[in-house]
Amino acid sequence: MNKSQSYLAIIVLAVMSVATANLFGQQADESHPNNETSSGITMAIAVLNPTAGNNVSGTITFAKVENGIKVVATVSGLTEGKHGFHIHQYGDCSGADGKTAGGHFNPTAMKHSAPTDSIRHVGDIGNIVADADGNATLEWVDSHMTFEGASSIIGRGVIIHAGEDDLTSQPTGAAGARVACGVIGIAKAE
Ligand code: CU
Ligand code: ZN
């Protein structure tokens, strides 16, 4: 090996070591994927804020469980009684009346119905019932909603209505005005 061959060998080795470092760097990144890509989304959350002229707020959590998605809702500031509670198509609460959230989330093109019905909107959670103080809680394991695919609720809206969802009127259950709106986002897994 003459002098110029030696220089060439050193340059080749240097280039190879940089390339190898890059390769390991990439592998290191791939070994630290985020929760969503390693095991799928397991928790989601929507924080409800009042629409204009209302005082309704709350938090809805969605957790992946064996039989579907467990919905746990805590809402306050309601009038006593039943209030329509749905997932709507758009996660857009920018409109003062909540109508920017669109209609009920209905990726399977079904009729509006009760949450217990097999033929229903994916977004049909029925009603949440407030006590005399305006507080309401709900726990419901849903088999229609998912965290991935066409029925994924991630990024959709949650709406609480002024009135009762009659579970039959099309396409909304005639639940009246929208008193609170929230957007379903990915939450830290428990
Ligand atoms: Cu609704
Ligand atoms: Zn519906």
Side-chain angles (χ1 to χ4, degrees), residues 72 118 128 159:
V72 177
S118 61
I128 192 164
I159 293 285

Side-chain angles (χ1 to χ4, degrees), residues 106 108-114 119-122 124 168 170-171:
N106 183 23
T108 49
M110 300 283 190
K111 288 194 305 178
H112 175 71
S113 193
I119 295 170
R120 52 163 256 206
H121 297 148
V122 168
D124 290 345
T168 49
Q170 300 301 321

